Amino acid sequence: MFKKKLHGTKTCQLLKAAFAAECFAEHRFKIFARIAQDEGLYAIEAALNELAYSQQMHAESHFKMLQESEEVYFGFEIGNTIDNLKTALVAEGLEVNECSELIKTARDEGLEVVAERIEEISIDEMAHIHRLDSLINQII
Ligand SMILES: [Fe+2]
Ligand SMILES: [Fe+2]
């Protein structure tokens, strides 16, 4: 429906920003829900998780429009599952690079606690890469 029509438009630029904002909102609500759970406020937790789900639906709607337009999002192609797994693999590699930079910067600035926490996350990112690699191999 949107094929090639979005590319280069201001709408496309705003759609990408809106997608990122919805993703941010989804995770913010999930984190708030976890805090409500820790406080024993279970009805609030449930409501916040519902709001998070709603943001997820919005993000998916935005993403689908970008996908239908064959838009390249952050330099990545969006396609079928095998394409998406390959995209995710590349993206996880970038996360590892970002972690390395963050660890080095945090150490340079004397923020050892930050560096150590990011090192733990970096190990997870490497595990994600191996997992995605094995998922790709299951399909091809
Ligand atoms: Fe939303
Ligand atoms: Fe990751």
Side-chain angles (χ1 to χ4, degrees):
M1 167 172 48
F2 299 103
K3 207 168 174 118
K4 308 270 185 202
K5 292 239 172 81
L6 278 176
H7 187 71
T9 64
K10 173 95 175 164
T11 300
C12 184
Q13 194 184 326
L14 292 173
L15 201 51
K16 288 177 182 178
F19 170 71
E22 294 292 353
C23 292
F24 189 22
E26 179 197 349
H27 288 280
R28 188 173 53 229
F29 277 123
K30 282 181 177 170
I31 291 165
F32 288 176
R34 189 90 60 102
I35 292 168
Q37 182 191 48
D38 290 345
E39 293 175 2
L41 300 168
Y42 303 116
I44 305 290
E45 176 202 357
L48 290 168
N49 276 324
E50 275 175 29
L51 286 164
Y53 181 72
S54 178
Q55 308 314 312
Q56 183 191 344
M57 292 298 101
H58 297 165
E60 282 189 20
S61 171
H62 296 340
F63 195 88
K64 206 158 180 45
M65 285 190 275
L66 291 165
Q67 183 184 30
E68 286 170 10
S69 74
E70 294 184 0
E71 182 60 26
V72 173
Y73 186 66
F74 287 138
F76 299 126
E77 299 284 347
I78 302 161
N80 61 18
T81 296
I82 187 72
D83 293 334
N84 294 339
L85 288 172
K86 287 176 181 173
T87 289
L89 188 66
V90 173
E92 291 301 300
L94 293 176
E95 284 181 28
V96 170
N97 294 343
E98 283 163 11
C99 282
S100 298
E101 190 185 347
L102 186 46
I103 291 163
K104 187 187 175 313
T105 302
R107 288 234 156 86
D108 287 349
E109 294 179 335
L111 298 163
E112 186 57 30
V113 173
V114 175
E116 283 173 12
R117 286 197 193 163
I118 302 303
E119 271 177 342
E120 287 168 17
I121 289 171
S122 188
I123 291 166
D124 283 346
E125 303 300 359
M126 290 304 297
H128 297 164
I129 287 171
H130 293 308
R131 179 126 195 239
L132 287 162
D133 210 29
S134 87
L135 291 173
I136 289 167
N137 286 326
Q138 280 176 36
I139 296 178
I140 57 175

